[in-house]
Amino acid sequence: MSEYNTVFVGLDVHKESISVAYAPDERETEVNYVGQIGTRHCDIDKMVRQLQSKAPQVLFAYEAGPCGYWLYRYLSGKGLSCVVVAPSLIPRKSGDRVKTDRRDCVSLARLLRSGDLTPEYIPQIQDEAVRDLTRAREDGLSDLKASKLRLKSFLLRHEIRYQGTANWGPAHLRWLADKVALPTTAQRIVFQEYLRAVTQHTERLDRIQEQLHEQVTHWRMAPLVEAYQGLRGVQFQVAATASAELGDLRRFDKPRQLMAYVGLHPSEHSSGGVRRQGGIAKTGNTHAGRVLIEAAWAYRYLAKVSRQIQERQEKLPPAIRDIAWKAQLRLCTRFRRLSARGKNPNVVVTAIARELVAYMWAIAQQVQLPAVS
C-alpha cells in the first residue's frame, strides 16, 4: 500500500548527475533527500519506480539550465507530470548564502508542494529546432562583426584608411584586394587571415540564413511569421526570431502579460503613497527583446506603407493589415512625441518595442495555426 497520495519531487539536474528529493503531500512532513542518480534512462526509470511505490501520483520539477528539456520530454513521454522553472523566478531567502545540490533539490520539492513555482513555457521539438537556427544566425552575426572589427583595427594601426562612403560593399572589398600594401611578410599574412575570416563568416551567415528560410517554410508557425511581417520594421529575420523565442502568443490572455514575459515592462519599487518606477526589468527573453528593439527603430519616421511593406502585406487578410496600419499611426506619433519631450532615444525605442509586441499579440489572435501533433 502507498504511504502517501502524492509526492512532489525536486530535481537538481547536471551533466553527469541528478540530485533527488521528495516532499509528501502532508504539509507538516519534512522533505526527504534521496541522493544522487545518474543521467541514464535506466537510472531515471529506477528512481521513478521507487517514488511510485510511495504514492500513486508523482510530480516532478527542475530548473531550466544548459541541459535543456530532454528530461522533461522523457518524463512526459512516460505519462508523468513535470514542470521546468526559470531560476530567476524561484523564491529565495535574501540571507541564504549557501548553495548545494542537496539544498537546491530539497527547496524545489518544498516549493512545488506549496505551489510557489512558476512553470516555464516548453517549446515543441520543431519550435526549439528553429529557435536554435535563429540563435546560430545571431552568433554568426556577432562573429562576423568581431572579425570585421579586428581587420579594421589592424589596418588602422598601420595608417591604412578607407576613404569610401560605405564599408564592406563591393568597392570596399575591391579596395581591400587591390590597394592594401603592407611592408612585411608577417603583416601580409595577418591581413590575409583576417580578410579570410571575414569571408568565411559571411559565407557561414549566408548558409544559415538560407537554411532558416527553408525551415520556416515548412514550420507549423509559418503563418505567424508571415503575419508579423505586415508590421513596419518586422522583416523576416525579426518575425522568425520572435516566433521561435516567444512561441504562440495566443497563450497570453492579455498583451500586458506578454510585455512582462519579454521583460520590456518598467521595474517598480513603490511603497505607501510613493510610486517609483525604474528602467526596464530585463527579466525576459533577451533574444526576443533584441530583435523587437531593432524593429522599433523603424517607427522614428512618419507613418507610411512603403513598397516593401506592401509586398509583405499582399497575401495578408484585411484585419491584419488594419492592425499594422493602426500600429504605424500610434507608434510613429508616440516616437516623435517622446523624442520631443527630451527623452533618451534608448528609452523611447524601448517604449515603442513594448507596444509593438502588443500589436504582434493582436495579430496572433487573427491567425489559425495547425494543431500540435
Side-chain angles (χ1 to χ4, degrees):
M1 182 177 178
S2 302
E3 300 179 37
Y4 312 104
N5 294 323
T6 306
V7 292
F8 301 88
V9 184
L11 305 173
D12 191 57
V13 182
H14 294 279
K15 177 182 177 181
E16 303 292 345
S17 66
I18 302 174
S19 298
V20 184
Y22 71 89
D25 51 359
E26 300 174 1
R27 294 298 180 94
E28 64 276 4
T29 308
E30 289 294 325
V31 179
N32 298 286
Y33 177 65
V34 176
Q36 284 191 345
I37 65 171
T39 56
R40 299 175 300 173
H41 289 179
C42 60
D43 298 326
I44 298 170
D45 292 340
K46 180 179 179 181
M47 178 263 294
V48 169
R49 289 194 298 269
Q50 291 175 346
L51 294 170
Q52 286 178 331
S53 67
K54 299 182 181 297
Q57 186 176 11
V58 184
L59 307 179
F60 295 88
Y62 69 93
E63 292 183 27
C67 294
Y69 303 116
W70 71 268
L71 181 56
Y72 166 86
R73 294 187 176 116
Y74 181 73
L75 293 174
S76 299
K78 297 176 72 66
L80 299 169
S81 178
C82 180
V83 296
V84 183
V85 296
S88 60
L89 298 180
I90 298 176
R92 301 186 190 278
K93 296 179 180 179
S94 59
D96 191 355
R97 293 293 185 269
V98 178
K99 184 185 185 305
T100 64
D101 294 348
R102 175 170 181 162
R103 290 169 68 95
D104 285 348
C105 65
V106 168
S107 176
L108 283 172
R110 184 182 295 110
L111 292 170
L112 181 61
R113 180 174 65 181
S114 63
D116 292 327
L117 293 178
T118 303
E120 190 179 74
Y121 169 72
I122 308 299
Q124 301 295 320
I125 293 179
Q126 187 185 16
D127 299 350
E128 188 178 13
V130 176
R131 188 184 71 178
D132 289 338
L133 202 51
T134 60
R135 291 186 179 182
R137 174 186 171 273
E138 188 175 335
D139 292 338
L141 279 172
S142 179
D143 293 341
L144 178 58
K145 182 179 179 180
S147 63
K148 288 179 177 179
L149 181 61
R150 292 190 190 101
L151 177 55
K152 292 176 68 176
S153 300
F154 172 76
L155 294 176
L156 184 60
R157 289 198 303 270
H158 296 87
E159 295 186 298
I160 300 175
R161 298 176 177 85
Y162 177 58
Q163 302 299 327
T165 57
N167 288 335
W168 309 112
H172 186 200
L173 295 178
R174 287 194 299 270
W175 177 80
L176 289 172
D178 301 334
K179 303 298 183 181
V180 175
L182 294 162
T184 67
T185 302
Q187 290 170 339
R188 288 194 290 270
I189 291 174
V190 172
F191 169 72
Q192 290 298 330
E193 290 295 337
Y194 279 158
L195 184 59
R196 185 180 180 187
V198 172
T199 303
Q200 290 176 338
H201 286 309
T202 302
E203 294 173 350
R204 171 192 170 201
L205 183 60
D206 291 341
R207 291 194 301 269
I208 293 175
Q209 292 184 152
E210 181 181 353
Q211 289 299 318
L212 181 60
H213 277 84
E214 181 178 347
Q215 294 297 320
V216 169
T217 302
H218 307 290
W219 188 25
R220 71 179 185 92
M221 296 183 70
L224 270 182
V225 176
E226 185 176 358
Y228 291 155
Q229 293 180 70
L231 290 164
R232 183 175 187 168
V234 184
Q235 299 181 6
F236 173 79
Q237 306 295 351
V238 176
T241 301
S243 300
E245 296 291 344
L246 302 178
D248 187 357
L249 302 187
R250 296 178 301 176
R251 73 180 190 274
F252 296 97
D253 296 328
K254 299 179 180 180
R256 287 187 178 273
Q257 296 175 346
L258 175 58
M259 294 176 189
Y261 182 80
V262 179
L264 293 176
H265 62 295
S267 59
E268 184 171 349
H269 186 79
S270 300
S271 180
V274 180
R275 186 186 184 197
R276 297 186 182 91
Q277 284 189 315
I280 59 172
K282 296 183 181 179
T283 55
N285 188 300
T286 57
H287 303 277
R290 183 190 62 80
V291 296
L292 289 171
I293 293 291
E294 178 183 325
W297 282 107
Y299 292 91
R300 65 188 184 273
Y301 305 110
L302 293 175
K304 176 185 176 182
V305 179
S306 64
R307 180 177 59 83
Q308 292 83 359
I309 297 177
Q310 285 181 342
E311 291 175 355
R312 301 203 301 262
Q313 291 182 349
E314 283 179 355
K315 298 181 181 179
L316 298 180
I320 294 179
R321 294 201 298 267
D322 290 343
I323 293 173
W325 179 240
K326 289 178 182 178
Q328 275 216 61
L329 291 176
R330 173 171 173 80
L331 299 184
C332 291
T333 303
R334 182 165 170 76
F335 200 112
R336 293 197 306 275
R337 286 179 178 174
L338 291 175
S339 299
R341 287 165 53 186
K343 293 287 186 180
N344 185 287
N346 292 329
V347 174
V348 175
V349 77
T350 301
I352 300 303
R354 179 167 59 247
E355 292 198 27
L356 176 61
V357 76
Y359 283 104
M360 293 177 68
W361 176 87
I363 287 177
Q365 311 307 311
Q366 307 293 325
V367 178
Q368 294 294 328
L369 294 180
V372 178
S373 58

